[in-house]
Amino acid sequence: MTIDPMAVTRLIPQRLPAGRLGVAVVAELVDLIVTGQLKEDDLLPPEGPLSEHFGVSRTVLRESVKRLEEKGLVIVAQGRGTQVRAPGYWNMLDPVVLSALIDNDETLGVLDELTVVRASLESAMARAVAGERTAEELRRLENALTAMRESESETDSFRQADVVFHFAVMEISGNRLAENIAKHLYKRAVESSRYQGINTPDAVARTLEEHAAILDAIERKDVVAAEKAMNDHIHIAWERRRLPDHAPRARGVAASQKAK
């Protein structure tokens, strides 16, 4: 059952900044959709009342709805209006959509899913690197791991060095599509305090060990070990950081490792 389109205006807060009104309108509507306040098949209010509510021109409102349609969140049907689409149509790699999903991820379900996708992509790229890396590329990874070790006492520097290591694996793999998707996921995730989670006393030491295992497998050109080391690291590291008051829906690799 869909809600009355005119009732939607009561959900939308009237707190737009003076500048970049279109961006603010898009952000507000994206939040309402990804949080489920506007559900699949719900209709947005007509253009007139909605533009008046936001305090923007119809031109700005029209452009904002167009941006939502480009992101896959709504569809404009002739004679019916603007209708919210099912999540399967959303462009979840869109920065605004992905950020809204992560920011409103109270159960951490989105970050659980992100971890599964990221691990799948990065483990495949680590396998590719192990199979075809050059001596120069190996040195690049060794330097990245050295930078992590040298910054282990500085949290922010260590995290940045960690990112550099992962990005190096992605770039060396030569898989541009996987690299692009993984970087989008990674960049948006690390901006979230929920993704950073908690730091256990042994987190840095264990992170270094896991990265060393990845590098060792790549150095030996052991494609199976490189793939497994990267996959295990990403799952286990997330399990290690995951906020304890949110039980994960599926612990995957991390659970199997703990059970051993």
Side-chain angles (χ1 to χ4, degrees):
M1 181 177 180
T2 61
I3 62 176
D4 179 358
M6 296 304 297
V8 172
T9 57
R10 293 194 292 271
L11 296 173
I12 303 170
Q14 293 175 294
R15 47 182 173 80
L16 299 179
R20 304 184 71 199
L21 291 174
V23 174
V25 171
V26 170
E28 293 284 6
L29 291 173
V30 168
D31 275 349
L32 289 172
I33 292 171
V34 303
T35 58
Q37 295 179 72
L38 288 176
K39 298 178 176 58
E40 179 183 352
D41 295 332
D42 282 347
L43 295 173
L44 296 188
E47 189 177 275
L50 195 55
S51 62
E52 183 179 347
H53 177 82
F54 277 119
V56 300
S57 68
R58 292 194 179 209
T59 300
V60 170
L61 194 282
R62 207 169 293 130
E63 286 299 313
S64 299
V65 171
K66 184 178 179 182
R67 298 287 87 78
L68 292 180
E69 191 172 25
E70 290 170 351
K71 298 175 191 299
L73 298 176
V74 301
I75 184 169
V76 180
Q78 188 69 29
R80 178 164 172 76
T82 302
Q83 191 171 30
V84 176
R85 304 190 81 183
Y89 291 99
W90 302 352
N91 177 7
M92 294 189 182
L93 291 179
D94 178 273
V96 177
V97 177
L98 184 55
S99 292
L101 285 165
I102 292 173
D103 290 345
N104 293 286
D105 186 22
E106 296 297 337
T107 66
L108 302 187
V110 172
L111 288 174
D112 287 336
E113 293 170 3
L114 184 151
T115 298
V116 171
V117 175
R118 183 188 157 209
S120 178
L121 291 172
E122 288 198 49
S123 60
M125 286 186 279
R127 181 187 181 102
V129 172
E132 299 183 5
R133 58 82 179 164
T134 65
E136 183 179 350
E137 290 167 342
L138 182 60
R139 281 194 298 273
R140 180 182 175 187
L141 293 173
E142 290 170 343
N143 291 338
L145 182 57
T146 297
M148 289 180 66
R149 287 173 173 148
E150 291 176 346
S151 61
E152 59 181 301
S153 60
E154 296 289 337
T155 301
D156 289 341
S157 297
F158 183 79
R159 284 177 177 169
Q160 184 56 42
D162 190 336
V163 172
V164 169
F165 181 95
H166 283 272
F167 279 16
V169 172
M170 296 177 197
E171 291 161 9
I172 294 169
S173 76
N175 189 327
R176 293 175 297 175
L177 182 59
E179 175 192 344
N180 185 275
I181 295 171
K183 281 185 175 179
H184 268 87
L185 295 175
Y186 200 2
K187 286 176 181 177
R188 290 291 157 182
V190 297
E191 293 172 357
S192 167
S193 59
R194 290 192 182 99
Y195 190 75
Q196 298 295 351
I198 55 176
N199 284 318
T200 57
D202 62 345
V204 171
R206 292 180 63 185
T207 298
L208 285 170
E209 289 174 2
E210 290 159 13
H211 282 76
I214 296 167
L215 179 58
D216 177 66
I218 290 173
E219 185 175 20
R220 293 185 286 106
K221 295 189 174 183
D222 187 332
V223 295
V224 174
E227 182 177 32
K228 183 177 186 302
M230 180 65 83
N231 187 70
D232 288 357
H233 159 61
I234 292 174
H235 280 285
I236 293 169
W238 169 234
E239 180 75 2
R240 189 161 57 235
R241 296 191 315 272
R242 205 180 195 284
L243 299 175
D245 56 335
H246 295 291
R249 291 182 296 178
R251 295 179 183 262
V253 173
S256 65
Q257 292 292 326
K258 283 188 172 182
K260 290 182 180 179

